[in-house]
Amino acid sequence: MSDRQKSIFRYGAIAVFGVSLCACTPTVRVEVPDKPIEINLNINMKIEQNVRVQMEKDFEKVAKENPGIF
Amino acid sequence: MKLSFSKSLIGLGVAAMVAGTGVFAQENTRAMDAEKKALIIGEMANGYLGFVKPATEDQIEISRKVNEINAARRTEYAKIAEKNGQTIDAAALTIARIQIADKTKIGEYFKDKTGTWCKKSSSSIIEAKEDGTITILCK
């Protein structure tokens, strides 16, 4: 095999591989329509006590103003 | 003395009535109350509502409502967070603890901090400590 033939063969192989990858893509597509908000919690998160108490007070007010969501 | 005793009795009575209506109001205004009682959805430690089991096709309407409520909650968490110089997640966690500790009944589902769904029981640990840690655990 000449060098020219080798390089044609090599590029051909790469092209075939690329095309086959493209062909596969739609089957691994993950559909996530309209999903609820998912948040990964930082389990070790700390909230200063006085800040927490203040946020709880704020929440009381918010909950009264938005009875349908809490 | 007698007068103050009867006064305090009246006071107790009024307090009991106020407490009573408070509980009543809370039960009625709870979001997705029926679905929580039916053990379809529950409160999650991240501050949002979630399905205990993946939603089925006939639960699309519930799913839509859950998403709507969660989006609205996020807006409110963001406001509380900003006011207090905290992240949205911190505000959400703070409020999740109240939702699960006070508004979720024994026997109803909640999702704990490890990502486990369970029925709330007397051995569930839902607490905020002085050192700033908030625990929401099934146990």
Side-chain angles (χ1 to χ4, degrees):
Chain A
M1 215 191 277
S2 72
D3 280 350
R4 196 180 139 77
Q5 277 176 320
K6 270 186 198 162
S7 72
I8 287 173
F9 182 75
R10 198 174 296 139
Y11 286 124
I14 291 169
V16 168
F17 181 62
V19 166
S20 64
L21 262 190
C22 290
C24 285
T25 311
T27 59
V28 294
R29 187 179 55 208
V30 181
E31 283 186 40
V32 193
D34 222 278
K35 278 274 162 188
I37 300 166
E38 281 284 353
I39 290 167
N40 293 321
L41 258 192
N42 173 5
I43 291 190
N44 302 313
M45 176 163 53
K46 284 194 176 191
I47 302 160
E48 227 178 282
Q49 171 126 306
N50 57 340
V51 176
R52 175 179 60 77
V53 171
Q54 184 55 50
M55 285 201 286
E56 288 175 357
K57 275 184 195 157
D58 293 343
F59 170 63
E60 263 177 53
K61 203 170 157 234
V62 167
K64 267 182 205 151
E65 287 165 0
N66 303 275
I69 64 170
F70 291 106
Chain B
M1 196 60 197
K2 211 174 181 185
L3 187 71
S4 75
F5 178 70
S6 58
K7 257 188 189 168
S8 61
L9 261 189
I10 292 168
L12 265 181
V14 169
M17 276 166 67
V18 169
T21 45
V23 169
F24 185 71
Q26 193 180 67
E27 298 241 330
N28 272 329
T29 57
R30 193 170 69 150
M32 309 295 282
D33 185 61
E35 289 79 4
K36 283 175 180 169
K37 282 180 182 153
L39 308 179
I40 296 167
I41 65 160
E43 291 290 339
M44 306 194 286
N46 63 9
Y48 299 92
L49 288 171
F51 276 83
V52 178
K53 287 179 191 148
T56 57
E57 270 181 40
D58 57 326
Q59 290 172 333
I60 285 174
E61 216 25 69
I62 301 174
S63 171
R64 201 165 291 151
K65 194 93 192 289
V66 164
N67 292 348
E68 211 178 280
I69 289 173
N70 283 345
R73 281 186 179 189
R74 196 179 165 81
T75 306
E76 297 307 322
Y77 293 156
K79 284 186 208 161
I80 294 173
E82 203 195 350
K83 180 174 173 282
N84 292 280
Q86 299 291 307
T87 62
I88 296 181
D89 286 6
L93 174 63
T94 300
I95 287 142
R97 186 191 67 84
I98 299 178
Q99 292 279 87
I100 296 170
D102 301 345
K103 284 191 156 192
T104 301
K105 299 182 196 96
I106 298 286
E108 288 179 348
Y109 274 102
F110 73 95
K111 192 180 197 177
D112 79 1
K113 269 178 124 182
T114 68
T116 309
W117 279 107
C118 65
K119 283 182 180 173
K120 186 179 171 183
S121 75
S122 54
S123 57
S124 302
I125 303 172
I126 302 141
E127 60 182 16
K129 283 198 190 141
E130 270 180 44
D131 70 356
T133 54
I134 291 179
T135 310
I136 299 173
L137 271 183
C138 285
K139 276 276 167 163

